[in-house]
Amino acid sequence: ASQTAEPREYALERHTLHMGTLINAKLFGATPEAVKHYAIVFEDKVTDYDDLMSVHKDTPLNEVNRRAGEPVEVPCEIADMTKQALAIADETNGAFEPMIGPVVNLWKIGFGGEHVPSDEAIAEAVSKVDRSKVRVWREGGRCMMQIAKGQSIDMGAIAKGFIGQRLSDILKHEGMTRGVLDLGGNIVAVGEKSDGRPWRIGIQHPAESRGGYFAVASVKDESVITSGAYERYFEENGKRYSHILDPKTGRPAKTDISSVTIIDRDGARADALCTALFAMGWDRAEAFLRTHSELKALVMHADMKQAVMTPAAASSVTSADPSVKLT
Ligand code: ADP
Ligand code: MG
Ligand code: MG
């Protein structure tokens, strides 16, 4: 075989810890300078988005929550994300609910000190969940938001998908044509592999440790996002409480699904929808998917013996584990 004198492509990997999650990026470029530039842009922007959206920092959304009842100026990107989140809440009939903050803050699942709250406290928190009281508007060139007193916005179910999508868009704008970004299991495939074939992204088996895949998605320029009860939960008196909550009951979603994967060109939408479908449970999720035939979704049943793919997903998902029946 003949040796090529010059490699045609350079690769760099970056691993960082941001937004409470491990972020890995595989970046490719035509020259060493190009790929180094992408790595610098990536690191800068990850830090910017962490400052903008992390739950633990003094962010614009935390200011909206702290000043509930008053109009607050926010970066327009935050206003846009909120509008998209509210639209998906409508579309999923509130299964995905960005105004779920009071309920999330009550249970604190994944933040330490978890406990099962009293019925009164749950009812009180649920009464604050009302997205009709949220306003997002423009005033001159400024973007404004206002929520009602006692309310709290929580973007935990959409933020990583949104940020992954933005990072991908920014890197492409800088000239990067291919790469894979992994935000704690929320994957964005940028472009395609150098041989023109799609990226192959493993889909996590809910009962196996990280990297145990039950299926593989072949994707170009799409996000692959999975929600499940296996990542963050707590146990009390032998009962397991997941971090995905039912906004109507104010309790961890009673679901017969163990994970939902969505493949979509819009990472924010994919993230929000997989949380919604998980919270809906098998029957409602199936009904939702029947009326959204364009969606690429893979729903793993609680028994972990079968997973249902939408027809749109079937062309890009293949089995990687004979113990799970893909139908
Ligand atoms: P992960 O945290 O594993 O990425 P999700 O994307 O499903 O999982 O987001 C879960 C987070 O979203 C929770 O930690 C909480 O902050 C918030 N959340 C919980 N239940 C809901 C819900 N029904 N709708 C919107 N956000 C939710
Ligand atoms: Mg989500
Ligand atoms: Mg998520």
Side-chain angles (χ1 to χ4, degrees):
S2 67
Q3 293 256 303
T4 43
E6 287 280 320
R8 289 190 192 85
E9 193 167 53
Y10 295 83
L12 267 185
E13 290 202 29
R14 284 288 180 269
H15 312 283
T16 60
L17 197 58
H18 278 287
M19 296 164 286
T21 198
L22 199 59
I23 300 182
N24 299 314
K26 271 194 216 127
L27 310 168
F28 295 87
T31 64
E33 295 73 35
V35 75
K36 209 172 282 170
H37 172 68
Y38 305 149
I40 291 167
V41 170
F42 172 77
E43 284 178 338
D44 279 358
K45 290 296 165 187
V46 165
T47 309
D48 287 354
Y49 279 111
D50 197 0
D51 291 341
L52 200 59
M53 294 199 196
S54 168
V55 279
H56 308 292
K57 293 191 176 175
D58 189 17
T59 64
L61 281 175
N62 287 340
E63 191 185 349
V64 171
N65 289 341
R66 207 173 50 245
R67 293 171 56 195
E70 297 171 40
V72 176
E73 184 180 357
V74 295
C76 290
E77 206 170 13
I78 295 290
D80 290 344
M81 181 178 70
T82 305
K83 274 198 254 175
Q84 184 182 16
L86 292 168
I88 296 173
D90 287 343
E91 188 184 355
T92 61
N93 194 22
F96 165 81
E97 174 54 80
M99 299 312 294
I100 198 166
V103 182
V104 172
N105 297 337
L106 183 64
W107 285 83
K108 298 192 187 72
I109 298 174
F111 293 95
E114 297 95 337
H115 66 287
V116 179
S118 70
D119 292 351
E120 294 74 33
I122 289 173
E124 166 77 11
V126 168
S127 75
K128 309 284 193 227
V129 180
D130 178 0
R131 59 185 184 278
S132 72
K133 296 214 176 86
V134 181
R135 294 212 303 135
V136 184
W137 74 100
R138 269 177 197 263
E139 220 170 85
R142 304 188 310 159
C143 288
M144 309 293 297
M145 281 177 60
Q146 180 169 0
I147 62 175
K149 274 214 168 76
Q151 288 198 309
S152 171
I153 295 189
D154 185 310
M155 291 292 176
I158 190 172
K160 271 179 273 165
F162 178 89
I163 294 168
Q165 186 66 56
R166 283 298 159 102
L167 293 171
S168 161
D169 294 346
I170 290 165
L171 287 167
K172 282 181 127 179
H173 185 79
E174 294 294 322
M176 192 178 88
T177 54
R178 73 176 106 259
V180 177
L181 313 178
D182 177 347
L183 287 77
N186 300 253
I187 315 284
V188 193
V190 184
E192 58 191 22
K193 291 202 294 185
S194 53
D195 61 6
R197 304 242 285 263
W199 294 108
R200 289 169 58 79
I201 310 296
I203 299 174
Q204 178 69 39
H205 190 298
E208 283 173 23
S209 55
R210 268 223 177 161
Y213 303 134
F214 75 94
V216 175
S218 298
V219 293
K220 296 181 180 184
D221 278 316
E222 283 174 310
S223 286
V224 180
I225 298 193
T226 300
S227 257
Y230 55 92
E231 294 257 293
R232 280 194 285 139
Y233 58 86
F234 81 102
E235 283 175 4
E236 192 173 290
N237 299 327
K239 209 171 165 283
R240 187 184 274 206
Y241 298 90
S242 101
H243 74 306
I244 296 176
L245 304 160
D246 180 335
K248 303 212 165 67
T249 64
R251 295 168 188 278
K254 270 211 179 106
T255 185
D256 45 6
I257 288 173
S258 60
S259 77
V260 180
T261 301
I262 305 258
I263 302 164
D264 202 274
R265 297 187 72 86
D266 178 346
R269 179 170 167 79
D271 197 355
L273 284 181
C274 63
T275 304
L277 291 172
F278 181 88
M280 282 179 195
W282 192 263
D283 290 345
R284 282 178 62 209
E286 273 203 315
F288 182 88
L289 289 172
R290 267 199 299 278
T291 60
H292 291 74
S293 57
E294 79 293 349
L295 272 181
K296 294 182 182 174
L298 178 58
V299 183
M300 168 80 112
H301 195 268
D303 67 14
M304 291 185 270
K305 289 194 167 67
Q306 59 161 328
V308 169
M309 295 185 280
T310 59
S315 57
S316 42
V317 176
T318 54
S319 172
D321 178 346
S323 77
V324 180
K325 210 171 116 211
L326 288 192
T327 53

